[in-house]
């Protein structure tokens, strides 16, 4: 790069990697793809992509192949990262970096790859993480904010999980979101009235009944991280960079409510705090209800609300492969994270029978009930949860915690052979609007699965769906907590499919 070279282009990039299968195993880059984009016209100026051969082809496990389709045979004749390092450096260094969740994942992989060959890593002039920008400015109207869900929302086709395809899809999604936001800012009272309700959803309330839907989406699996630099004023009006700022008056269109002052009420830190608070304490069914404190103890720990993970069924879990480790959190502390074969995981359980319906016994600081329900736990699920309890409790004690441990599997005296587990439905808040952070679906007798969205926070209405005897398919995370001298693992529902047969 010459000293006077103008590197004002935005470089969208993406890496595909192996998936670690054992503790201590890192990621190996299998593919790198990037496009240079003019920030004023959003046109693609040039592109670069290549498969990358890792030093050890055995790192490409079946799990890795399922994630991106890249096999050992496909990269056997590809260049190593050392072979392409100069080209990657030239593309990235001194430019504005952009991508979906790049600061959490892709940037880290690039720096690791350069460190492995003892070369200086490229540095950005600024960074735009579209995961955070779109969540903040576009809202959660597309469900979760994974690229696949956003592409489906705009009818852009399926995500291929190949680098060059993904970065081009990322740019198209940004264009569509920017256009929608521009139109809504022109007629906010008309176009933003229902912008938080996805067209691919059933909206439920006692007053408005149902409307048809199609489609669905999957669980969140990325952290919200964002970075930008204070660059020259000539970049202030770039179409993409303007997404990271307010409008001309410093405000942002409020897509949740159009009849209040237009200010940016979707604060990621606030949302993160709400989700974090919702998994702070686990309570037995017979414990006296109390109002929870706003303060967390210094020893509290919670798994990150969103991270890269694999979804496994209990029968797919290898018990000796379950481990726990301390990881940095989004909020600066160190949290305990459960892992399977060295990779964070969530569980998928089918046909869980509801033993006790929605409980509203406990409340958050705003007076909203903390929602949960109890399901029968199968022997295979109990085996996994007991193993998770064991490893997290050990690490908790080793880390200095003296809190009382609450087993995740509930075994009541006299009903020891009928174990249960509690699933929590977290609440998120956008401004003054509370909504369920769990995706909730119904499966009709025909087999059709339809998503439910709720026009208001109504625990009674939600309770009518989770009655005792109902069967539910559940995707849930296992989130360790240590709060007010109580510690354990909280099962946080990410996606629920209610069987209406």
């Amino acid at each position: 790069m010459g000293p006077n070279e103008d590197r004002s282009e935005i470089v969208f990039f993406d890496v595909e990697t192996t998936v670690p299968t054992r503790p201590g195993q890192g990621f190996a880059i299998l593919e790198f793809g990037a496009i240079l984009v003019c920030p004023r016209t959003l046109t693609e100026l040039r592109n670069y992509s290549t498969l990358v051969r890792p030093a050890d082809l055995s790192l490409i496990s079946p799990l890795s192949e399922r994630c991106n389709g890249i096999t050992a045979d496909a990269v056997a004749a590809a260049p190593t990262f050392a072979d392409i390092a100069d080209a990657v450096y030239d593309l990235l260094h001194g430019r504005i970096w952009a991508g979906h969740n790049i600061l959490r994942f892709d940037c880290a992989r690039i720096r690791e790859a350069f460190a492995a060959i003892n070369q200086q890593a490229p540095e950005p002039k600024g960074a735009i993480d579209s995961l955070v920008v779109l969540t903040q400015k576009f809202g959660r109207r597309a469900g979760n904010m994974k690229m696949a869900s956003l592409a489906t929302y705009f009818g852009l086709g399926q995500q291929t999980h190949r680098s060059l395809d993904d970065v081009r899809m990322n740019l198209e999604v940004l264009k569509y979101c920017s256009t929608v936001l521009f139109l809504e800012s022109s007629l906010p009272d008309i176009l933003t009235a229902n912008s938080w309700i996805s067209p691919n959803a059933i909206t439920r309330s006692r007053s408005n009944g149902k409307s048809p839907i199609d489609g669905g989406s999957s669980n969140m699996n990325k952290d919200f991280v964002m970075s930008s630099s204070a660059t020259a004023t000539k970049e202030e009006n770039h179409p993409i960079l303007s997404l990271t700022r307010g409008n001309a008056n410093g405000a942002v269109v409020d897509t949740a409510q159009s009849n209040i002052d237009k200010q940016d009420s979707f604060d990621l830190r606030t949302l993160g705090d709400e989700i974090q608070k919702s998994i702070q304490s686990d309570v037995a069914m017979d414990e006296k209800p109390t109002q929870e404190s706003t303060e967390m103890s210094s020893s509290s720990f919670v798994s990150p609300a969103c991270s890269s993970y694999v979804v496994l069924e209990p029968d797919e879990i290898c018990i000796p492969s379950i481990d726990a480790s301390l990881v940095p959190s989004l909020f600066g502390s160190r949290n305990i994270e459960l892992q399977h074969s060295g990779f964070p995981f969530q569980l998928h359980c089918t046909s869980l029978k509801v033993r006790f319906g929605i409980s509203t016994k406990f409340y958050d600081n705003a007076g909203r009930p903390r929602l949960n329900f109890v399901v029968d736990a199968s022997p295979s699920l109990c085996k996994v949860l007991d193993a998770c309890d064991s490893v997290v409790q050990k690490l908790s004690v080793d880390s200095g915690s003296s809190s009382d441990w609450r087993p995740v599997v509930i075994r009541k005296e006299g009903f020891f052979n009928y174990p249960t587990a509690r699933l929590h439905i977290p609440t998120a808040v956008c401004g003054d609007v509370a909504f369920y952070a769990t995706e909730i679906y119904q499966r009709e007798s025909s087999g059709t699965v339809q998503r439910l969205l709720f026009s208001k926070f109504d625990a009674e209405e939600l309770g009518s769906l989770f009655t005792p005897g109902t069967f539910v398919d559940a995707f849930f995370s296992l989130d360790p907590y240590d709060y007010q001298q109580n510690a354990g693992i909280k099962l946080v529902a990410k996606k629920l499919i209610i069987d209406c047969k």
Side-chain angles (χ1 to χ4, degrees):
M1 181 180 72
N4 298 319
E5 182 180 351
D6 179 14
R7 298 176 72 82
S8 62
E9 308 97 337
I10 299 174
V11 54
F12 284 78
F13 73 96
D14 177 77
V15 297
E16 297 297 329
T17 70
T18 59
V19 177
T21 56
R22 62 176 184 271
Q25 186 181 78
F27 296 86
I29 293 178
L30 298 178
E31 187 176 41
F32 174 87
I35 58 174
L36 284 184
V37 173
C38 173
R40 295 171 182 80
T41 63
L42 300 185
T43 53
E44 182 178 323
L45 304 175
R46 68 183 176 102
N47 64 75
Y48 175 83
S49 69
T50 180
L51 291 170
V52 180
R53 184 177 79 251
D56 183 0
L57 289 176
S58 68
L59 294 175
I60 306 177
S61 64
L63 178 60
S64 176
E65 292 179 11
R66 288 201 302 270
C67 287
N68 51 42
I70 300 175
T71 66
D73 289 342
V75 299
T80 66
F81 188 81
D83 295 329
I84 67 166
D86 289 344
V88 172
Y89 186 94
D90 181 65
L91 272 168
L92 298 181
H93 187 66
R95 287 192 168 101
I96 299 167
W97 295 3
H100 206 64
N101 193 36
I102 56 169
L103 296 181
R104 164 78 177 182
F105 188 80
D106 303 77
C107 294
R109 304 292 83 80
I110 289 294
R111 292 190 174 98
E112 290 168 0
F114 274 92
I117 60 173
N118 296 314
Q119 289 191 26
Q120 182 180 355
E123 294 294 336
K125 177 162 59 176
I128 303 169
D129 194 320
S130 59
L131 173 63
V132 177
V133 173
L134 296 184
T135 301
Q136 186 179 25
K137 304 302 182 185
F138 190 67
R140 305 187 65 81
R141 63 184 92 179
N144 64 43
M145 296 307 289
K146 295 165 68 173
M147 184 55 60
S149 299
L150 288 161
T152 298
Y153 181 85
F154 288 114
L156 297 175
Q158 293 186 338
Q159 184 183 15
T160 65
H161 290 286
R162 298 301 298 270
S163 292
L164 199 56
D165 290 343
D166 283 3
V167 293
R168 284 174 172 154
M169 178 173 280
N170 194 175
L171 177 59
E172 289 304 306
V173 164
L174 277 172
K175 289 179 180 178
Y176 275 78
C177 290
S178 299
T179 301
V180 170
L181 292 175
F182 173 77
L183 293 173
E184 289 179 350
S185 68
S186 300
L187 294 171
D189 292 334
I190 299 174
L191 295 178
T192 66
N194 294 311
S195 62
W196 281 82
I197 303 298
S198 169
N200 294 328
I202 291 178
T203 302
R204 287 182 59 95
S205 73
R206 286 189 291 271
S207 60
N208 66 2
K210 297 181 179 180
S211 57
I213 72 127
D214 58 20
S217 58
S218 55
N219 301 312
M220 294 185 300
N221 69 336
K222 298 289 186 177
D223 273 8
F224 297 149
V225 186
M226 180 177 175
S227 173
S228 62
S229 63
T231 52
T233 56
K234 67 178 182 179
E235 295 170 345
E236 288 180 355
N237 295 318
H238 289 178
I240 293 180
L241 290 184
S242 64
L243 279 172
T244 66
R245 305 183 177 93
N247 59 23
N249 297 320
V252 177
V253 176
D254 184 347
T255 57
Q257 300 181 74
S258 61
N259 60 347
I260 62 175
D261 292 340
K262 302 297 186 289
Q263 53 186 330
D264 191 358
S265 62
F266 197 91
D267 183 352
L268 288 177
R269 183 60 179 254
T270 301
L271 176 58
D273 287 341
E274 289 293 331
I275 294 177
Q276 187 181 38
K277 289 174 184 176
S278 76
I279 59 177
Q280 286 173 357
S281 61
D282 201 9
V283 286
M285 293 179 61
D286 56 357
E287 187 176 350
K288 180 180 178 181
T290 57
Q291 187 76 15
E292 295 184 5
S293 168
T294 59
E295 298 296 329
M296 292 185 65
S297 65
S298 60
S299 63
S300 64
F301 55 85
V302 215
S303 287
C306 311
S307 64
S308 298
Y309 60 84
V310 292
V311 178
L312 300 169
E313 296 185 6
D315 291 337
E316 296 177 310
I317 297 287
C318 175
I319 298 300
S321 297
I322 296 176
D323 198 6
S325 62
L326 291 170
V327 298
S329 79
L330 187 62
F331 303 96
S333 60
R334 289 174 65 82
N335 299 330
I336 289 183
E337 179 180 71
L338 273 163
Q339 299 173 345
H340 181 263
S341 297
F343 205 71
F345 69 98
Q346 292 183 1
L347 286 178
H348 171 211
C349 295
T350 59
S351 299
L352 292 173
K353 187 177 182 179
V354 176
R355 175 79 68 87
F356 300 105
I358 294 292
S359 169
T360 58
K361 181 187 284 188
F362 301 94
Y363 294 85
D364 63 16
N365 301 310
R368 291 181 294 266
R370 293 199 183 282
L371 304 176
N372 62 82
F373 62 100
V374 175
V375 297
D376 291 336
S378 67
S380 60
L381 178 58
C382 288
K383 186 178 179 181
V384 171
L385 296 181
D386 287 341
C388 292
D389 256 347
S390 178
V391 297
V392 173
Q393 184 179 14
K394 182 179 184 302
L395 182 55
S396 173
V397 173
D398 291 346
S399 301
S401 174
S402 59
S403 297
D404 293 332
W405 188 263
R406 295 183 177 274
V408 66
V409 177
I410 304 168
R411 294 180 172 94
K412 290 290 186 179
E413 184 177 355
F415 297 90
F416 193 82
N417 292 327
Y418 300 93
T420 59
R422 187 185 303 275
L423 290 176
H424 295 261
I425 299 176
T427 302
V429 178
C430 173
D432 295 328
V433 179
F435 56 94
Y436 309 121
T438 303
E439 297 176 8
I440 302 176
Y441 298 76
Q442 276 187 339
R443 181 188 291 112
E444 306 296 341
S445 57
S446 63
T448 302
V449 176
Q450 297 181 318
R451 185 173 181 184
L452 307 179
L453 287 182
F454 299 81
S455 58
K456 58 183 178 180
F457 185 92
D458 189 335
E460 181 180 349
E461 181 181 15
L462 191 65
S464 68
L465 299 173
F466 295 90
T467 55
T470 300
F471 286 92
V472 177
D473 293 354
F475 296 80
F476 55 91
S477 62
L478 298 88
D479 297 344
Y481 66 89
D482 191 337
Y483 181 65
Q484 293 185 347
Q485 292 302 302
N486 291 313
I489 298 173
K490 195 163 193 177
L491 307 182
V492 179
K494 303 298 183 181
K495 179 178 178 180
L496 297 170
I497 304 175
I498 306 165
D499 200 334
C500 294
K501 296 179 181 178

